[in-house]
Amino acid sequence: MAHEINLNRLAVFTALVRAGSFTAAAEQLGMTKAMVSQHVARLEQELGVTLLVRSTRRMSLTEAGATFHADCVRILADAEAAIERVGEGHDMPRGTLRLTTSLDYGIAVVAPKLASFMRLYPAVQVDLVLSDHISDVIAERFDLAIRGGWLRDSTLRATRLGGFRQLLVASPAYLAEQGTPRRPEDLAAHRSIAMSALPAPLRWTFTAQGGTRRTVRMRQTAQANSAAAVRCLVLAGAGVAVLPDYLVEEDIRAGHLVALLAQYRLPEGGIHAVYPGRKAPAKVRAFIDHLQGKTP
């Protein structure tokens, strides 16, 4: 029977009982007295029971009507609370923020940002998954993914958070032993640590200040599927490598690594937040703003 009931009539019925008369209910609901009466009559017909006993001066609930009225009040209150909770989820950050990003960017950038974000929004819990493979955001039920590099075609929404430079680096100990490359062509004689997750980890195009481009193929000594692992190998003097600036800038300032061929530029990559759905919930919007430095 439930699929045959017009649930809007429950609200009319409870409003009528609360108001105490058809006239007062009609005023509160903004409809005619005849329309209120029609809704209640149709509800009784759909239920197959009498809810109200009417006379010229008063109306009263039947036993079935009183029981049904109590149930209607509870149902409508639950519905109102559910709508309010959904609205809160869109207006105020709360609940679990499940997100994924790469191992190196997650450790260097996202985890510290999450720590300050959780202090700002204590009603948000975090589930951070670090992986260097491209996760299926929808199938794996992620609210958000932070991706570096160049976005593939996707039905996901994307917000650009910023970009990063790629730097050719080596340790001082390696350079003392093998010499410092002065031109891109010199790299053919050097040991290279490749980031295997890249589509062409050994082929790099260097652009001079005047716009002249030189493409070289480096000689691989080792490879790793994690930029963090490549960094460790380079720090240990195993060879030269191309790594994102956010991962090696501190090492360069500390003198642990040296940026090579600074007169040339390598292709820059972007950092994007990607998420499903037409409108992101408040927890996702708030964290994207936090990553962009827009948090009040």
Side-chain angles (χ1 to χ4, degrees), residues 89 92-98 117 121-126 143 283:
M92 287 296 296
R94 64 179 67 246
T96 299
L97 176 64
R98 178 169 161 80
F117 178 75
Y121 301 104
V124 176
Q125 297 82 45
V126 168
D143 298 303
K283 59 187 178 183

Side-chain angles (χ1 to χ4, degrees), residues 168-179 187 189-194 202 218-224 227-243 256-258 260:
L168 179 70
V169 294
S171 70
Y174 173 85
L175 296 174
E177 178 185 337
Q178 300 293 328
L187 294 173
H190 283 265
R191 298 197 299 267
S192 171
I193 313 300
L202 296 174
M218 300 167 71
R219 179 169 59 90
Q220 179 177 302
T221 298
Q223 68 175 13
V230 172
R231 170 182 169 270
C232 289
L233 287 166
V234 176
L235 283 169
V240 301
V242 175
L243 286 167
H256 302 314
L257 291 177
V258 177
L260 305 172

Side-chain angles (χ1 to χ4, degrees), residues 199-228:
L202 296 174
R203 189 173 181 273
W204 291 99
T205 298
F206 293 82
T207 304
Q209 292 181 355
T212 303
R213 295 183 177 185
R214 300 184 185 181
T215 299
V216 299
R217 182 173 180 82
M218 300 167 71
R219 179 169 59 90
Q220 179 177 302
T221 298
Q223 68 175 13
N225 66 349
S226 161

Side-chain angles (χ1 to χ4, degrees), residues 92-97 99 110-126 144 281-291 295:
M92 287 296 296
R94 64 179 67 246
T96 299
L97 176 64
L99 72 160
V110 176
K113 284 288 189 179
L114 280 171
S116 55
F117 178 75
M118 288 187 289
R119 286 194 292 270
L120 285 170
Y121 301 104
V124 176
Q125 297 82 45
V126 168
L144 177 67
K283 59 187 178 183
V284 171
R285 299 197 308 271
F287 188 59
I288 291 174
D289 286 346
H290 191 65
L291 288 169
T295 302

